[in-house]
Amino acid sequence: MGFYGRYVLPTLTELAMKSEAARTERARIVPRASGVVLEIGVGSGLNIPIYGDAVRKLYALDPSAELLRMARRRAQRATFPVEFLQHPAEAIPLGDGTVDTAVTTWTLCTIPDAVAALREIRRVLRPDSRLIFIEHGRSTDPGVVRWQDRLTPLWRKVSGGCHLNRPIDQLLAQGGFQVSEMERGYMAGPRIGAYLYRGIARPDGAGADKC
């Protein structure tokens, strides 16, 4: 990893994720996490102040040492213990069935093998647990999709691997989840990167209904 990926990209990522639109989306759903929580791609820790009193412990996972350094500063004021895990999402260093809630916010777009990561998340979740997600991805507008497909190869190179065009609903199904709640639509910003999937998914076979 060069200078750009190690130092410049983490700062740019934090700035992008601190937008008013992103903060509004986080505030709508992140506080629903409870129990032992695993956040995949904790980044600079922007979700940490949003978690509610129902959180007993947070496992904060991210492969970036620089982003975790930023997150540790935010965790100093947390009212629950935070354990940082510098690991990729495809290899979560936790035992089977040890997590009550998993959280991903603007994360599945960047993970190299998103389906493998979702299967790992499913492995560490308890059978009656849930995955809370806010992800940007493939639009339902054909015109926007054409631009997402055209720009993704270049965008990946400058954004740390981010895909503009991943079909989040399909990835969740392939990763072993059933969606119990989901809203889709554009948030503020350029449409190629502003189409959101927001909701709750449960491990397949845990009694959730497909949307």
Side-chain angles (χ1 to χ4, degrees):
M1 182 183 295
F3 180 85
Y4 176 81
R6 187 179 298 276
Y7 299 108
V8 178
L9 185 59
T11 300
L12 293 178
T13 299
E14 185 189 34
L15 289 174
M17 290 293 95
K18 288 173 71 174
S19 72
E20 182 64 31
R23 288 200 300 269
T24 298
E25 295 294 337
R26 295 174 192 278
R28 290 182 61 184
I29 198 166
V30 170
R32 296 176 65 178
S34 61
V36 177
V37 178
L38 167 65
E39 182 172 346
I40 301 294
V42 71
S44 60
L46 293 172
N47 285 337
I48 293 176
I50 305 174
Y51 286 112
D53 295 338
V55 174
R56 297 199 310 273
K57 178 175 183 176
L58 173 66
Y59 289 106
L61 183 143
D62 202 287
S64 169
E66 181 62 19
L67 284 171
L68 288 181
R69 183 186 65 79
M70 299 179 190
R72 285 188 173 91
R73 292 201 301 266
R74 288 195 168 94
Q76 291 175 1
R77 296 184 179 182
T79 58
F80 44 81
V82 181
E83 182 174 340
F84 291 94
L85 306 172
Q86 188 182 346
H87 287 268
E90 299 94 333
I92 300 171
L94 297 175
D96 296 359
T98 54
V99 172
D100 299 304
T101 309
V103 176
T104 71
T105 59
W106 289 277
T107 299
L108 294 177
C109 61
T110 303
I111 297 171
D113 190 339
V115 172
L118 284 164
R119 289 174 178 163
E120 270 289 271
I121 295 170
R122 187 183 187 282
R123 177 185 66 79
V124 302
L125 282 171
R126 305 186 201 281
D128 59 347
S129 58
R130 58 188 178 166
L131 166 64
I132 294 173
F133 61 90
I134 309 169
E135 298 290 346
H136 77 94
R138 195 171 190 84
S139 172
T140 55
D141 182 338
V144 175
V145 169
R146 282 194 293 271
W147 280 105
Q148 287 179 323
D149 290 341
R150 287 171 185 165
L151 294 176
T152 288
L154 175 62
W155 182 246
R156 287 173 57 192
K157 294 180 181 179
V158 300
S159 63
C162 175
H163 296 69
L164 298 167
N165 58 352
R166 282 185 167 171
I168 301 303
D169 52 346
Q170 294 178 32
L171 294 178
L172 289 167
Q174 293 168 28
F177 286 89
Q178 293 182 359
V179 175
S180 56
E181 301 177 30
M182 184 156 64
E183 298 178 14
R184 308 186 201 195
Y186 293 102
M187 72 175 204
R191 288 199 160 198
I192 58 168
Y195 189 80
L196 294 189
Y197 298 71
R198 179 199 317 107
I200 306 290
R202 300 183 185 276
D204 195 8
D209 297 325
K210 290 184 178 180
C211 290

